[in-house]
Every structure is written in C-alpha cells, then in structure tokens.
Amino acid sequence: MIFNSLSFFLFFGVVLAVHYSPLAWKWRKLALLLFSYVFYAAWDPPLVLLLWFSTLIDWFAARYMQRVAPHRRWVGLAMSLVSNLGLLGYFKYGGFVTENLVDLVALAGGRLELADPDIILPVGISFYTFQTLSYSIDVYRGNLRAASSFLDFALYVTFFPQLVAGPIVRASDFIPQCASPRRASPAQLGWGLWLLVVGLFEKVVIADYLMSPTADEVYSGKFVPTFADGWVGTFAYAIQVFCDFAGYSTCAIGVAMCLGFALPDNFRYPYAAIGFSDFWRRWHISLSQWLRDYVYVSAGGNRNGELRTYVNLMLTMLLGGLWHGASWNFVIWGGLHGGYLVAERALRALRWGRWVTSMAARGFWGAVTFLLVCLAWVFFRAATFEQALATAGSMIWPADIGLRQVSRGDALQILTVLLSVVGVQVVLRNTTLEQAAAKVPWWCFGIMMSVMIFTILLVGQRNEAFIYFQF
Amino acid sequence: MMPMHRAPAVRWARAFALGALTLFIVLGALELALRRDGMRPSIADSKYLWAQHRNMAKEGAAVIILVGSSKFQGAIDPALIERRIPSTSVANLAMHGKSPFPVLSDLARDREVVGTVLVEFMPSRFFRHEHHTVRDTEAHIRSMDRLPVVSGVETAVRHWFQSQFVVVSRWLSPRRLVLWALGREHDVLALSRSYSNRFSARRFPANFPSPAYNWSDENLSRGELEKRVEELRAWVQAIEGRDGRVVFVNLGSSGTARAMEEQLWPEQGWSWFRAQFPANTLGSDELRGIDDVIYPDGIHADATDTTKLTRALVDALLERQLVVKKR
C-alpha cells in the first residue's frame, strides 16, 4: 500500500477510527500492530514472515544481552547481526553477488554457471533491518535497556507510517512513546494532515508529474544526452528524488502525528547545503546518523589521525552507497560522496571557515555543492555504468551543447521548479518547517491546501511507487 | 536523541474548513463547466485494471477479449457489447501505445483462455518492427506476475471515482486544463495522446498530422513479414484449438493517416493481410452503417462515433457467428 493510493485513505480512515475509539491503550496498540502488518502484507503477504523473523530475533537477542554479563553480550549481537545482515544479504545482494562471482571467475579465465536466483526484494527490508540492528547495537553498547514489552517492540519494528521507507527510527525515540496512550492534540492532528497533503504534493505533483517525464526521457538510454540534456535531465532527477523521498518522509511524519506519535525529521533543506558534511546533515538524516553512529564511529571515526579519518569516511559512504542498492553504480555514488567529504575535510584543514564568511562565498560554495551532488546523482539514476559514464562525460566535457531530447518548454519548466525548490530551501535554510509555519496566517494554510489537493487530484491518476521502495 | 517533529499552533479547524470550501467550489464549478462542454467521466487505463481484465480472460469469465491499442480503447465500448450480446462479458486488454503481439502470444499460451479474441489491425503495428512497443508490452505483461494484493481494492475505488467525476479524468492535467480554458481543443487532444476517454465531439482539422506515424521504425522485410504471419497463425491455431476464435478487426483510417498508409505499404495493405487470414478478418467494409465515420486525427475515433462503431462491430460478429458461447 502506498500513501498516494486511494486504498491507503480507506485504510487510514479505519486506522484512525480504531485508534480514537474508547478501547484500552493496550488493545489500540495491538490494533496498530495488526494494521501495520496489513499495510505491509498489502504488497505480498508471505513477506510478513520476514518482519516477524527480524522482530523475534532482535527481541530475543536483546533480552539475552540484557541478562548476561557485558563480556558475553557479543553472542546476542552476533545473533542479531548475522540474522539481519544475512536476511539483507540474501534478499538484496544475492543476485549481485552471484553475478559478480560469475564475472570474477570469467575474468580469471574460468567458467562458472550459476542459475539466476530470481529473488524478490522485499519492500522496505533495508529500512527495518537497519532499525532493528540499531536497537540490538544500542543494547549491546549499554546505551539502551532491552524493551520490556514485546508489543511495544513489535510496534517499533513494524509501525506502518515509516516501515517501508523510513525515517529509520531509534528505539530510544519510539518505544518510550508507547508507554502512555497516544492521542493527537487538535494542533497535532491538523499539522499531521497538513504534512500528509504537503508530502503527497511533493510526490505526486512535483516528482511524478513535473520532473519524472524529463528525467526518464534523458535516462532512457535511447541516446547519449547532450550537455544541456544531461544537466536538465539530472536537475530534473535531483528534484524528483528529493521530492519523492522527502515527500514520503513528510507523509510518514504526518500520518504518525495524526496517531499522536512523533517521528524524527529526515530532510532539512538539503539543496541549501554549503559543503558536503552540511549536505549529509540535511539529506536522509536518519540514515546518515545511523551510518555515523554505527559505522563511522565504530570504525574509529576521527580519533586515529587524519588518514584514518579519510579511510573511515570513505568506507562509511561506500557502505551507504551499497545500502541503496546492489549495483556498482550505487557504490560509485557513495564513493563520490566519500571523496567529496574527504576533499572538504582536507580543505577545512586549510581554514575553510575563512572562505565561506561572505554571502557571495557562501552562495558560490552552495552552488558548487549542489552541482557536485547532481553529478553524483548521475550514477544513482543511470541504469548502467556505461550510461552513467556517457552522461557524466557529456555533462563535463560536452561534445554537443544544445537541447535534443528535452524540449525548450520542458527545460524551462524544470529550471523554474528547480529554482523554486532550491530558492525555498535557501530561504528556510536556518529554520524549521514548524517555525516557518508558525508565521503563516491560518487562511493561507486553507488556500494552499485547496490548491495542493486540487492539483493532486488533477495529476494523481498514475500512483507511481516511491523511488526509495526499491532500496 | 534525534530531533523530533513537533506541531506548530495554527487554527487548523478554520484552515481546513476554508480549504474544503474552496476546493468544493472550485471542483464543483470545474466539473459543471467540463460537463457542459460535452465531457463525460472516463475510466483511465491502468496496470491494475488491465490485470483485472486479464484475470477475467483467464478464468473464462470473458467471452470477448479485446486486444489492441488506443484505437480500440476509443472506438469500442465494452459495456455496449455486453448489453447487445446477452450473457457476454468483455475483457478489455487494449493498451494505449502498446503492441498487440505479446498479448496475443500470452493469450495463446494460456490454456485457460477461451473466447473470441478481437485483435485491432493497424498497419503500423503489423508491418513495422516497433521493437519499443513490443518491449513495453512484454514488460507490462511480466509486471502482472507480482501485483500487490491490494490492487483489486485500489482498482475498484479508482474505478468508482473515475466513473462519477470528469475532474479526475486522467487526461485532465493542469497544462491541458489551461489549453481547454483557452479554447485550444486540438492542442488538448494532441497533447493527450490517450483516447480512452469519452472526450468532446470536436473534430481535428483535415490536415492534422497523425500521431501514429511520427516515428521512424523500419518496415519489415519480406522474410520478416512471412515470419510474423507464421507467428500469428500459430497463435490463432492455439486459441482456436481450444474452441476459441481470433478475429483481426480493421476499423479503417482516414485523411492523412490513410494517405500515409497507402504510401508506406502499397503492397501489404489490408487486402494482403485478409488473404493470409480469410476466416479471421473483419474489415471496415463489412461493418454496416459506419460509412460517414471520419477519424478526426486519421486513426482514433471521435467519442461520439463509439456507439456507431461498436454496434456495427457487434452486428458483424453476430452475423458471422464469431462469438464463442460462455462456458
């Protein structure tokens, strides 16, 4: 079930009706859990078994770690790591590993014949395995006590608003919320519904209707794009992927808020970032914090000298790239961001702070950041490595400048939306959406809401799946 | 602790009331204006809807199966067929811009499919390579294997909305709405490229370039053409071996499209094709009462001619006893 479907609204209506019924909190929590399973099973019911498996393993692993002496906790952690990463490895990377193994043997002059495993990627597996892993690691480190209620823990793993595409929530943020009955205040309910509309507008209107056709055309692989086609198509994809993913997170936060739960922000105006560490503090925040806390810090972080810090940064970003998908293109995308972060850190050592004090300098570095982020998106979007190289090549060393695949009208549309989205992000850069909203008169919300719903109704007949469902 | 999202204090009750009222007025006014201009609610084609109809064909629930593209979608009214031939149900597998061959091949392979399969004949699909439309159709059929469980509910709800309101028609994007408001009807249709809707009765200008012949696919060589005919023959035999029928229906074309067809395929036209499948073809010359039908863009029927075309098709099918009885 996806947020931009009519069946979701029927489902959500039933969920709200039960959640606001006079039933005891325990029963309402149980209902939320069952609804979450229904939400997930709407794709493919047998895949719920994986969710149960992950839930049970981490429940028992954490309980075990809680019981035993600290030096024996590693057994529980190993159980969680092997199970979750095994699950992820098989379903997400099984085909990739097989394919590369065959290629590797062929490269060595041998011949290996392995049947195509034809594995279905369970939707959201990367998100919920990382979420449960964070719980086990926190318990192992002694930063968190194992949950005392299985129902609360199962709801933490399965809570439907963020189950399939995040934000990746920490147990310490979510489980305490289950302790007392959750009912949204009128302000929370209003803001939650408003966020749901905003998220759908981002997804349905901006990502799917305005941006996706141009991005799809340029990345269709029919032609090698020209310089202008390449940049316009990549700008279109940059906005598409942001509005698609941030749209999902906004919907998730809104839906959770309607139920009285608070979820963490996942995006904070990333295209207004000045520098790449700033970008990663703003883009997919829940994943970048996960990688920071459980990969970068575990590998030593910045505690062992500059060179080791660079290695750790690169390793973290390569893993982050691989998390997105079983393809070398994603690894390269992660590697590029790793390279950007390393270069930025090296620049900082040369007193970077002095370079970005003036408005013009900040604007310049902001633009450089955005353009380099876009260049990395080429590897994220392209279907093959060859296509990515050809596209990036024509964007950097143009052989042909003009527009070929994209019409002037479409290019103008993309650039207008790009400037609007980036402009809004720059203006709101140092504030939060809530702070900005507090300054807007109530009637503006009414008018904006009607305009957004009207546009969603006009263009929302395609119900495309969210891009991040594939990760 | 990660920073959690908190709600700002806004007068939400008032904001939602204003939003709902504005939306109601705007949508209501637009719905009325569109209806006054002759537009009717239309069901948009979708993957889920197609899958539902494909299942109808599989379960033997459908007696008539439509295979084709936008031309069939716009020209044939399945509901009218069901009314005109009692105890008949229609599975509409026509897909906008897609090739009929992978669908026909899929139906031929499926032993559970029995019925009268009506295949839209369009020279560009039959006498050209059209690799891209074949690939698209194959991918479309493959994606049917893993449909979400909820797709049935989604289709039913969507179907209900689309059958009630014009404003949720798929063709009505903001760009087309502006063009419509400016009175540029032809641009609306040219942009839409989707003729599955019951669009207005306005005609295209006589010299309107046909959308079906804009691309540069190559014609099949003689050998490739023979291979295609053999493939078609095998699929026809597979379906007819199960007491089904296959009928290639040529609804004709007009204006610039017809001129282009005559120029592009001077030898392999409808007559040539009919000679290959004499028992399985139904030409526009056999459809009575459609002499005055002009396809506004040369290919696609005007919505007001749908009833006439469907009636003529049903009469011809009944007359030639081409409708298979329900099991």
Side-chain angles (χ1 to χ4, degrees), chain A residues 119-459:
Chain A
I119 301 165
I120 308 167
L121 178 65
V123 67
I125 191 168
S126 310
F127 289 91
Y128 67 74
T129 48
F130 265 41
Q131 190 156 306
T132 51
L133 270 179
S134 76
Y135 168 75
S136 294
I137 298 170
D138 283 348
V139 173
Y140 169 78
R141 288 177 174 174
N143 296 339
L144 181 75
R145 285 190 63 78
S148 54
S149 156
F150 180 73
L151 180 58
D152 291 1
F153 177 69
L155 188 58
Y156 157 67
V157 179
T158 319
F159 189 50
F160 77 87
Q162 43 77 235
L163 172 62
V164 292
I168 300 167
V169 183
R170 302 290 173 87
S172 54
D173 288 328
F174 188 88
I175 292 180
Q177 296 188 57
C178 298
S180 53
R182 313 302 302 177
R183 283 188 195 277
S185 65
Q188 284 177 317
L189 194 63
W191 184 241
L193 289 173
W194 166 257
L195 290 178
L196 182 59
V197 175
V198 171
L200 286 175
F201 182 80
E202 284 181 276
K203 161 69 181 162
V204 174
V205 180
I206 304 180
D208 288 351
Y209 177 69
L210 292 173
M211 299 290 110
S212 149
T214 303
D216 290 350
E217 176 60 30
V218 170
Y219 284 93
S220 65
K222 284 187 275 191
F223 309 98
V224 173
T226 63
F227 173 80
D229 284 340
W231 277 106
V232 171
T234 305
F235 285 151
Y237 184 68
I239 300 300
Q240 182 197 356
V241 74
F242 167 73
C243 287
D244 189 284
F245 192 21
Y248 186 91
S249 294
T250 309
C251 289
I253 292 167
V255 168
M257 191 156 277
C258 290
L259 297 167
F261 286 87
L263 295 182
D265 280 331
N266 216 14
F267 290 87
R268 207 163 39 233
Y269 319 121
Y271 290 149
I274 301 169
F276 300 97
S277 50
D278 189 24
F279 176 79
W280 282 103
R281 280 192 295 269
R282 296 166 177 277
W283 178 274
H284 203 173
I285 300 166
S286 63
L287 175 71
S288 49
Q289 289 187 347
W290 196 103
L291 291 170
R292 181 198 65 195
D293 293 349
Y294 303 112
V295 180
Y296 180 70
V297 171
S298 299
N302 57 4
R303 298 189 299 272
N304 301 311
E306 274 304 286
L307 190 64
R308 184 62 195 270
T309 305
Y310 295 157
V311 172
N312 290 342
L313 272 176
M314 186 55 91
L315 177 78
T316 307
M317 294 316 292
L318 287 173
L319 278 174
L322 197 61
W323 176 88
H324 282 85
S327 143
W328 288 112
N329 272 13
F330 289 118
V331 179
I332 293 168
W333 174 78
L336 278 173
H337 274 281
Y340 294 161
L341 286 168
V342 166
E344 182 184 310
R345 197 174 168 86
L347 278 175
R348 277 184 195 282
L350 302 173
R351 298 196 176 182
W352 158 272
R354 286 200 316 198
W355 301 9
V356 289
T357 43
S358 73
M359 187 77 114
R362 288 163 70 82
F364 173 75
W365 287 112
V368 169
T369 306
F370 177 70
L371 291 176
L372 288 176
V373 165
C374 285
L375 205 57
W377 283 134
V378 172
F379 289 86
F380 199 89
R381 175 61 181 84
T384 60
F385 178 64
E386 291 74 22
Q387 189 193 12
L389 271 190
T391 308
S394 37
M395 286 163 69
I396 300 170
W397 298 282
D400 193 352
I401 303 277
L403 286 167
R404 290 276 164 88
Q405 282 170 277
V406 183
S407 70
R408 280 184 181 200
D410 285 343
L412 191 66
Q413 176 179 298
I414 301 299
L415 294 177
T416 308
V417 177
L418 173 80
L419 288 175
S420 310
V421 171
V422 175
V424 167
Q425 296 198 7
V426 169
V427 170
L428 298 177
R429 186 175 186 278
N430 296 321
T431 181
T432 63
L433 199 58
E434 301 93 299
Q435 286 167 342
K439 294 175 190 162
V440 177
W442 66 267
W443 55 267
C444 270
F445 280 101
I447 300 294
M448 283 193 283
M449 191 147 36
S450 57
V451 170
M452 284 193 287
I453 296 176
F454 177 72
T455 327
I456 291 167
L457 283 174
L458 277 192
V459 305

Side-chain angles (χ1 to χ4, degrees), chain A residues 7 42 173 262 265 434 461, chain B residues 1 4-6 149 154 162:
Chain A
S7 39
D173 288 328
D265 280 331
E434 301 93 299
Q461 297 300 314
Chain B
M1 264 308 253
M4 306 299 270
H5 210 94
R6 307 208 179 279
V149 175
E154 182 65 25
Q162 289 173 347

Side-chain angles (χ1 to χ4, degrees), chain A residues 458-470:
Chain A
L458 277 192
V459 305
Q461 297 300 314
R462 304 197 314 170
N463 69 332
E464 299 284 337
F466 287 83
I467 292 175
Y468 264 67
F469 279 15
Q470 64 187 296

Side-chain angles (χ1 to χ4, degrees), chain A residues 67-133:
Chain A
R67 262 202 332 266
V68 299
H71 71 277
R72 292 184 64 192
R73 283 185 188 162
W74 67 270
V75 178
L77 181 67
M79 192 164 86
S80 170
L81 285 174
V82 169
S83 309
N84 283 302
L85 295 180
L87 211 64
L88 199 58
Y90 174 76
F91 284 100
K92 192 160 180 172
Y93 303 103
F96 180 63
V97 169
T98 312
E99 196 184 302
N100 280 282
L101 204 62
V102 171
D103 289 349
L104 209 63
V105 172
L107 208 65
R111 189 158 173 258
L112 180 66
E113 280 186 19
L114 293 172
D116 181 4
D118 192 25
I119 301 165
I120 308 167
L121 178 65
V123 67
I125 191 168
S126 310
F127 289 91
Y128 67 74
T129 48
F130 265 41
Q131 190 156 306
T132 51
L133 270 179

Side-chain angles (χ1 to χ4, degrees), chain B residues 158-231:
Chain B
R158 204 164 272 265
H159 194 285
W160 184 83
F161 272 103
Q162 289 173 347
S163 61
Q164 302 299 314
F165 305 106
V166 179
V167 284
V168 293
S169 297
R170 188 173 178 159
W171 59 272
L172 198 66
S173 66
R175 195 187 285 190
R176 287 170 205 155
L177 191 64
V178 171
L179 288 171
W180 169 77
L182 295 173
R184 291 168 60 184
E185 300 286 344
H186 301 136
D187 294 333
V188 177
L189 273 179
L191 265 174
S192 125
R193 291 281 193 272
S194 171
Y195 300 83
S196 55
N197 57 69
R198 303 273 173 272
F199 193 63
S200 71
R202 285 167 178 76
R203 304 273 185 191
F204 279 79
N207 59 352
F208 187 83
S210 169
Y213 297 110
N214 283 345
W215 51 74
S216 54
D217 294 292
E218 285 175 19
N219 282 349
L220 295 177
S221 67
R222 189 79 200 173
E224 288 165 334
L225 201 58
E226 279 166 12
K227 201 176 151 202
R228 174 158 289 175
V229 168
E230 282 315 305
E231 263 180 349

